[in-house]
Each structure stands twice: as C-alpha cells, then as structure tokens.
Amino acid sequence: MEFERHRPFLTGLAYRMLGSFTDAQDVVQDAFLRWHRDHDAEVENPRAWLARVVTRLCLDVMKSARARREAYVGPWLPEPVLEHERAVADTSLHDRIDAPMALMLALERLSPLERAAFILHDLFDMEHADIAAALERSEAACRQLLARARAHVGEPKQRFHVEEAEAARITSAFFAAMTTGNALMLRDLLASAAVLHSDGGGKVAAVRQVLRGAESVLRFFDSLLTRFGPMPQTWSGPLRINGLPGYVSRDVAGNVQTTALDVEDGKVVAVYVMRNPDKLGSAVALLEAGSERPAPG
C-alpha cells in the first residue's frame, strides 16, 4: 500500500515537529484519511504530497502546543521513543524514529516555520520547491527560514555511535550507581561537563532547572541519597530512548521514569530523565508487558 510505505517517514517528520509521539501518530492518521479521500487525484510525488499535508497539520497543532509550552513547569523534554536494542539492530535506519534529545531541544529554539524548513531540508533532504509548497511560502523565503534556523541550531551534530554491548554496560552501571548510592561509580561514569535534564511537568517531583557539570549532578544525587537512602527499583533495560542508551525504571513509590544517556568516549555527557506521567504511556506499557525486573546487582 502506497501510504504505508511512507508511514515511518511521516511519523518521524511529525514527531520532530511536535516533540510528542502520541500527537505525531494522530497527525499521521489524519493524513492517512486525507490520502484516502484525495489519492484518486493525480499525485506525481506521493512522498512530497504527504509531507506537505503532515507539515501543515503539525503547524496547526503547534499553535496551541506553543502556548502550553510557555506555561510548562520546569525543563521540557520530548516524549521518549523507546526501542529494544535487538529491535534497533533489526530495523533499517530509514524506519527508525531516531531523534536525539539534544537536537529536539535545539529545535525548540526555532519558530514553527523555521523548524519545519530545517527538518524538511536538513533532516529529510527535501527540495526547496517541495518545502515552499508545504509552507506556502516562496523558495526565497524558505531559504531565509532555513538560514535563520541553522544560525540557531547549526549543522546537525554527528552523534557518537555506542555499540550494543557498551550501551548495556553503561546503562547497567549507571542504574546500579543510582540505586545503590555508589558515588564513586557514578563519578567514574560522568564526563566533567555532564548535564542533567529532568522533566516532571509539574506533575511529579523533578529538578526544576538544568544541572550543569559533573559536580552539580553528583551533589544532586548525593542529596537524594542522603535524604531518602538507596532506593531499590525495578527496571526494564537496556533500551534505546530516542536512539540513546537508556532504561525505564519504577521507584518504591511506584513512579515510572525513563533515563536516556548521551555517551561520548565512554563517558556520560548528558542525562535526560522523563518523569512526567503524561509522556510515559509507552514506558508504563513496557513495564506492564512483563519486561520489568529487579535492579541489576
């Protein structure tokens, strides 16, 4: 079926535009209905036609989403996309929704039109003519949007590839350090300039600002351990979260969270913790499906 061939591309496009996998799926379903309504008309380039439809739907969604984002409590992170390591290995690059957290956060600095131009051109290699049709702007205007977007985001950063075995080792060690209170192990894992982002959305306890530097991150976790002591948890891991090594866990209070680790040269340079229950539907489903198990020893 023609539409299904393009569904992974369309879902990836919508997710990068919206930062919500749930909203992205809704947008793609709407595009599917429009395709069935209009596909009898002559469509010379189905991929470009569908990208145009999805982009316009996303721009409509972003009008209300942007207002919600401005009132957001604490740091904002995109809804995490979870994949088992084995599934990642068995899935082609074309069909993955591999949207690194750092890039998604950088895209938040752009206007909706700048974001669309950048994603369509620099991430999906679309021609300027097709972007102009999608944004209902001239090609010259789209080139200006792209230039402004690049000035804020820069060229897409080449992410360090972490092999499956290394990813499993780092995620297991990081989780063990967190749950046992092994500060020395945690210090060995963190790069000196490591940062921590924690998104609770005002719904559950989370760090209300981005922590920068290994010492700041270590002090935060040390304060938690001092106040609450080591907290045994159950977990499901290792996984890939937005293409990064990570895991899903549940603490003794029953709160579910995802933790994604950005790793360079064997060190964790960024930690992304999602605790907002509104964004953890897939993580809860994963645990309830029987993947939950005691913390690694």
Side-chain angles (χ1 to χ4, degrees), residues 96-138:
R96 294 181 207 157
I97 301 178
D98 190 0
M101 294 287 188
L103 175 60
M104 294 295 288
L105 291 176
L107 292 175
E108 284 295 299
R109 299 196 292 266
L110 307 180
S111 73
L113 289 176
E114 289 169 349
R115 184 167 183 151
F118 182 88
I119 292 169
L120 291 170
H121 187 274
D122 281 20
L123 302 186
F124 289 109
D125 300 320
M126 288 189 65
E127 299 293 336
H128 286 287
D130 292 326
I131 297 171
L135 301 186
E136 298 181 319
R137 298 291 191 278
S138 68

Side-chain angles (χ1 to χ4, degrees), residues 174-187 217-233:
F174 190 89
F175 185 82
M178 294 292 301
T179 55
T180 62
N182 189 331
L184 181 60
M185 181 187 295
L186 188 58
R187 184 182 297 275
V217 175
L218 284 166
R219 282 196 301 272
F220 167 70
F221 286 126
D222 185 61
S223 68
L224 288 181
L225 293 165
T226 299
R227 183 176 179 184
F228 300 107
M231 294 180 288
Q233 298 174 313

Side-chain angles (χ1 to χ4, degrees), residues 2 6 9-10 45-52 94 124 126:
E2 181 69 24
H6 301 290
F9 155 67
L10 297 172
N45 186 338
R47 185 176 187 270
W49 188 91
L50 288 166
R52 181 165 65 250
H94 172 75
F124 289 109
M126 288 189 65

Side-chain angles (χ1 to χ4, degrees), residues 260-275:
L261 307 172
D262 199 348
V263 178
E264 295 183 9
D265 296 327
K267 295 284 188 179
V268 176
V269 298
V271 183
Y272 302 99
V273 181
M274 174 57 69
R275 290 178 53 79

Side-chain angles (χ1 to χ4, degrees), residues 24 34 45 69 87 106 120-121 139 158 162 195 251 261 278 297:
R34 296 185 184 212
N45 186 338
R69 205 71 55 80
L120 291 170
H121 187 274
E139 289 190 40
Q158 182 66 36
V162 183
V195 296
D251 63 24
L261 307 172
D278 293 345

Side-chain angles (χ1 to χ4, degrees), residues 163-181:
E163 296 293 341
E164 181 177 347
E166 179 73 351
R169 181 189 70 78
I170 290 173
T171 53
S172 296
F174 190 89
F175 185 82
M178 294 292 301
T179 55
T180 62

